[in-house]
Amino acid sequence: MDTFDEKEIIGRLRKPETQKKAFEQLVAAYGRQLYWQIRRMVLSHEDANDLLQNTFIKAWTNLDTFRQEARLSTWLYRIALNECLTFLHKQQAVTTVSMDEPEVSLADKLEGDSYFSGDEIQKSLQKALLSLPEKQRLVFNLKYFQEMKYEQMSEILGTSVGALKASYHHAVKKIERFLGDSL
Amino acid sequence: MKKEDEKLKRLLSENPFGVPENYFEELTGKVMESLPEKGSVPAHSRRQVLWTVMRPWVYVAALMVAVLLPLRYWTGQTADKFAFSETVESGLLTDEYIKTVIDDSMMDDYTLYQYLTDAEIDY
């Protein structure tokens, strides 16, 4: 990330002859953090991996639509989070048909995921996070795990800083209440 | 409360999620392999592009239909009226035609009289 010069990368992304190499640098710079943000939303590694690939494919095919008013990372996060929300809505539609609670379905996936090593209290924590409304969960994850500033979050989600702070505060309270005696 | 906060913080600081071996090391390469060629636009994107280009024309065509259809209907009616009055003026309505129309309307003589009086038609 130290060698990542956003202006220079944007310039190279605009030229067909340097575009692919610059995009490779972009993937190397943001792949990991985007993966973790997606993973904390969808929980399963396979789903997170698919959504990450889709995010970069969409970014690549829509490079011409990128406007320099936003930062590259903001733009990538916006695509990734849209992918996540679309995925979660599809999941919700499936679970509505099967009469299950959406968070139960995601938590079930966690049970069978070989890339999840959490104990019972960790599973409870994940269930507490899943009980939050999607956007509140997004805000909580971005703030807590990515340590993202509210200003950047506001650019990504199109929500005011005040509303984001309130959302985060509510999320923490709900998690504490959900876990209750477990803590 | 303080103790609970500390416990929650510790819980949140643990990462129970794992990834396959060398996942992040191989990620960039795998993503780059999965990218489509710049020239080859997927079919659904081609449809989107076509729709983006065609959309204004479709809207204009729909607007024209919305405006011209009632206009044509109205002018058609007016033309028919003129055609009818021309027929009346030129005396093309034969007695036989009038008899057929009156029979078809199933009016009795009194209703017909009333209708003609209200309409103030002077024959």
Side-chain angles (χ1 to χ4, degrees):
Chain A
M1 283 291 277
D2 295 336
T3 54
F4 191 86
D5 180 348
E6 176 138 345
K7 266 192 178 174
E8 189 231 320
I9 291 283
I10 292 172
R12 288 173 57 215
L13 282 170
R14 298 227 176 276
K15 291 179 195 157
E17 63 273 20
T18 51
Q19 200 171 51
K20 204 151 192 177
K21 199 76 199 149
F23 195 81
E24 195 172 341
Q25 270 185 280
L26 193 72
V27 177
Y30 292 111
R32 189 184 282 253
Q33 52 179 298
L34 284 174
Y35 170 84
W36 283 118
Q37 180 57 31
I38 296 170
R39 178 78 186 269
R40 290 201 181 268
M41 287 303 289
V42 300
L43 305 187
S44 124
H45 165 73
E46 274 72 26
D47 293 336
N49 184 46
D50 287 348
L51 293 174
L52 183 69
Q53 299 270 350
N54 289 349
T55 299
F56 281 120
I57 289 172
K58 281 205 174 154
W60 173 248
T61 49
N62 292 294
L63 259 183
D64 304 335
T65 66
F66 171 70
R67 292 186 185 87
Q68 288 185 41
E69 297 127 37
R71 278 193 283 171
L72 273 169
S73 59
T74 304
W75 181 62
L76 284 174
Y77 265 100
R78 210 177 283 156
I79 300 172
L81 297 181
N82 276 336
E83 283 292 304
C84 279
L85 292 178
T86 309
F87 172 84
L88 291 171
H89 291 163
K90 277 184 192 164
Q91 289 266 308
Q92 247 170 14
V94 172
T95 45
T96 307
V97 170
S98 66
M99 311 275 277
D100 289 333
E101 294 290 322
E103 61 264 27
V104 172
S105 167
L106 281 172
D108 285 346
K109 273 191 172 181
L110 209 57
E111 295 282 343
D113 192 342
S114 54
Y115 298 113
F116 180 80
S117 60
D119 53 13
E120 282 310 307
I121 180 85
Q122 267 296 343
K123 278 180 194 161
S124 300
L125 173 65
Q126 294 310 319
K127 280 180 186 168
L129 289 167
L130 286 171
S131 74
L132 300 175
E134 272 165 17
K135 285 209 173 144
Q136 218 170 65
R137 192 151 67 95
L138 263 179
V139 173
F140 182 84
N141 288 344
L142 286 170
K143 184 70 199 157
Y144 200 91
F145 298 113
Q146 306 273 319
E147 297 176 343
M148 188 179 279
K149 287 182 178 159
Y150 283 118
E151 285 71 21
Q152 192 183 356
M153 230 189 279
S154 170
E155 278 179 48
I156 295 168
L157 300 171
T159 312
S160 72
V161 170
L164 291 170
K165 282 181 182 173
S167 197
Y168 178 73
H169 177 77
H170 285 307
V172 174
K173 291 288 155 207
K174 275 188 200 170
I175 294 165
E176 281 174 354
R177 262 203 309 276
F178 190 99
L179 291 174
D181 296 336
S182 311
L183 290 174
Chain B
M1 196 68 185
K2 198 101 179 131
K3 204 176 165 187
E4 285 172 7
D5 284 352
E6 286 303 313
K7 207 166 176 186
L8 182 62
K9 268 186 191 169
R10 192 164 46 80
L11 207 58
L12 285 165
S13 68
E14 292 167 9
N15 184 3
F17 299 105
V19 292
E21 220 180 318
N22 297 325
Y23 175 71
F24 288 117
E25 288 74 11
E26 293 164 5
L27 179 65
T28 306
K30 283 190 177 160
V31 168
M32 294 310 289
E33 274 171 29
S34 70
L35 298 181
E37 281 302 314
K38 264 288 175 184
S40 71
V41 186
H44 69 277
S45 298
R46 268 204 302 274
R47 277 199 299 275
Q48 265 182 343
V49 170
L50 185 66
W51 172 238
T52 313
V53 172
M54 292 301 290
R55 193 164 46 190
W57 296 105
V58 172
Y59 288 162
V60 168
L63 191 71
M64 297 279 274
V65 169
V67 170
L68 291 179
L69 208 64
L71 199 68
R72 194 193 176 286
Y73 177 72
W74 183 76
T75 51
Q77 267 192 340
T78 319
D80 285 348
K81 269 186 205 161
F82 287 138
F84 179 73
S85 55
E86 273 169 24
T87 314
V88 172
E89 276 167 20
S90 61
L92 285 174
L93 286 176
T94 60
D95 291 346
E96 203 175 318
Y97 174 75
I98 293 169
K99 192 173 180 298
T100 314
V101 170
I102 290 170
D103 286 347
D104 285 351
S105 70
M106 295 200 294
M107 286 184 192
D108 54 31
D109 288 348
Y110 178 73
T111 320
L112 182 62
Y113 169 76
Q114 251 191 338
Y115 174 76
L116 289 173
T117 320
D118 289 346
E120 291 177 355
I121 294 171
D122 190 20
Y123 279 101

